[in-house]
Amino acid sequence: YTGTSKYAVGLWRYGNRMPDQFDVDAHGDPLQSRSQGAYLLAERTLFDLGTAGRDFTAFARYSTSDGDSTALDNIWNVGARLRGPIASRPNDALVIGWTRARLAPKYRAAQAAAGNDTATSEATLEVTWRALLTPWLALQPVLQAIQNPGGAAATPRATIFGARIEIAI
């Protein structure tokens, strides 16, 4: 078995104080605090496809923040990667992922005070294929279907197509 497992726990905190999205002091100025959060990550190769380097891997990540100065207070990511989806292209990878990002209550309150209606979350389904064209060039088209992009209730769906080019010199 040549698969890999990766598990991680992390904490983060900004060194500088950031303005609160909603709470203010007696003078009407935003309160200041250090944004902080944490994450859990798990990635595991579930099985090999019989040829070296070709495998199927699943991943999941949960992130959280205080939500005082950040627009999102928790995010779920789950997905799978199929490396070498075609036997003749063992260095390609097909990835399907789903993300759900919940808008922080303070962010929603600030948006409501400004007259903007928000959804409770944004969700994205992403499909991408990374094709290694030469040892130094890779092309990665990506398709994303987004529900409530940016948390805007008035924008129920968006579809984005893009591409990434990698040049290794």
Side-chain angles (χ1 to χ4, degrees), residues 140-158:
Q140 183 176 349
V142 61
L143 177 66
Q144 295 179 336
I146 306 168
Q147 181 181 10
N148 300 115
T155 309
R157 289 185 186 80

Side-chain angles (χ1 to χ4, degrees), residues 60-125:
R61 181 179 69 180
Y62 174 74
S63 306
T64 186
S65 74
D66 55 43
D68 292 333
S69 61
T70 57
L72 306 172
D73 66 357
N74 68 56
I75 302 170
W76 277 100
N77 307 96
V78 295
R81 180 193 74 206
L82 181 59
R83 191 167 48 179
I86 300 171
S88 63
R89 300 197 52 83
N91 295 315
D92 287 6
L94 172 65
V95 180
I96 299 174
W98 176 80
T99 300
R100 182 190 176 274
R102 188 179 89 138
L103 293 159
K106 285 187 177 182
Y107 175 80
R108 294 190 71 211
Q111 292 299 308
N116 300 320
D117 190 23
T118 61
T120 58
S121 64
E122 172 184 288
T124 303
L125 178 64

Side-chain angles (χ1 to χ4, degrees), residues 54 84 165:
R54 296 183 65 217
I165 297 172

Side-chain angles (χ1 to χ4, degrees), residues 49-64:
L49 297 176
T51 306
R54 296 183 65 217
D55 58 38
F56 183 79
T57 300
F59 59 87
R61 181 179 69 180
Y62 174 74
S63 306
T64 186

